[in-house]
Amino acid sequence: MPHTSDHRKLSNSVSSQRIRKSFAFLPALFIMLMIFRFSSQNADDSSVESLRITRDLLVAVRDQLQLSWTPEELSFYIEQSEFFVRKLAHFSEYALLGISLILPLIVYYSDRFRRKILFLISWGICAAYAVLDEFHQSFSPGRSPQLRDVVIDSCGALAGILLGLLILHLRARLRKRQRQH
């Protein structure tokens, strides 16, 4: 029978691991809240923010490349680019969600589940959240759900999940190589 101090150490170890597991999913929760906030914006606020971000990006590109655009040209480029920036934002936020889900799932649950299952769980959560997010967006004034956005979100999540798996694979190879030397 283990001594009381051994039992406490084991109990503390198990509870600290549970806490670490819980905290490992905080980035995913934070990203989900961020996505929720963006979807809660009415159409006018969303458009203003989108145009501001597009303008800031194009001004940065113009300045870095030392281009001499007239104000009319800049306005034209903003108008032409805004749709793509919006869709890239969808893709990017779901890529972040995907990577923030797959990493802790693999780290903490790969001993119990195969990676394929964890991959499908991550992607399923992201795709389901994309559908729910579009539904939620339908309650924001002037906004409507778009199947295209669900597809873009799901593709972004897939890219993030695959990137997370690649990072874990490269990390494992690096550790194996370090042990061999």
Side-chain angles (χ1 to χ4, degrees):
M1 183 146 162
H3 289 21
T4 306
S5 65
D6 292 339
H7 181 69
R8 270 194 219 123
K9 286 179 187 176
L10 181 61
S11 177
N12 286 341
S13 173
V14 169
S15 79
S16 73
Q17 185 177 19
R18 283 186 185 148
I19 291 170
R20 276 197 310 265
K21 280 183 185 180
S22 299
F23 280 118
F25 290 96
L26 280 179
L29 183 61
F30 174 76
I31 292 165
M32 291 171 118
L33 290 171
M34 180 188 70
I35 291 169
F36 184 86
R37 186 190 81 67
F38 288 141
S39 293
S40 298
Q41 292 179 321
N42 66 44
D44 292 338
D45 290 346
S46 177
S47 186
V48 165
E49 188 170 354
S50 199
L51 285 169
R52 181 190 57 77
I53 291 168
T54 303
R55 183 184 189 294
D56 291 349
L57 285 170
L58 287 174
V59 166
V61 167
R62 179 198 65 195
D63 294 348
Q64 280 297 312
L65 299 177
Q66 299 177 348
L67 302 171
S68 56
W69 295 338
T70 66
E72 294 79 21
E73 288 173 320
L74 179 59
S75 293
F76 174 77
Y77 296 139
I78 291 169
E79 185 180 309
Q80 295 300 308
S81 304
E82 194 245 348
F83 173 81
F84 298 104
V85 169
R86 286 179 80 91
K87 299 312 163 192
L88 182 60
H90 272 269
F91 187 90
S92 300
E93 62 193 14
Y94 276 85
L96 289 173
L97 180 58
I99 200 168
S100 70
L101 281 172
I102 194 64
L103 291 177
L105 280 173
I106 295 289
V107 168
Y108 289 111
Y109 297 100
S110 62
D111 59 331
R112 286 192 248 163
F113 300 99
R114 295 177 60 194
R115 284 186 181 225
K116 287 179 187 178
I117 298 297
L118 296 174
F119 166 85
L120 291 173
I121 289 170
S122 297
W123 202 23
I125 290 170
C126 291
Y129 195 73
V131 170
L132 291 172
D133 179 53
E134 287 300 311
F135 177 71
H136 162 250
Q137 188 172 294
S138 70
F139 296 102
S140 299
R143 311 244 342 238
S144 61
Q146 302 290 321
L147 179 60
R148 173 183 54 217
D149 287 347
V150 173
V151 171
I152 292 169
D153 296 344
S154 297
C155 289
L158 177 62
I161 291 165
L162 292 174
L163 178 61
L165 290 171
L166 177 64
I167 289 168
L168 290 171
H169 175 74
L170 293 174
R171 182 176 145 223
R173 284 185 62 184
L174 182 63
R175 284 184 173 177
K176 184 177 177 182
R177 191 175 295 156
Q178 288 174 342
R179 282 193 303 262
Q180 290 174 350
H181 293 296

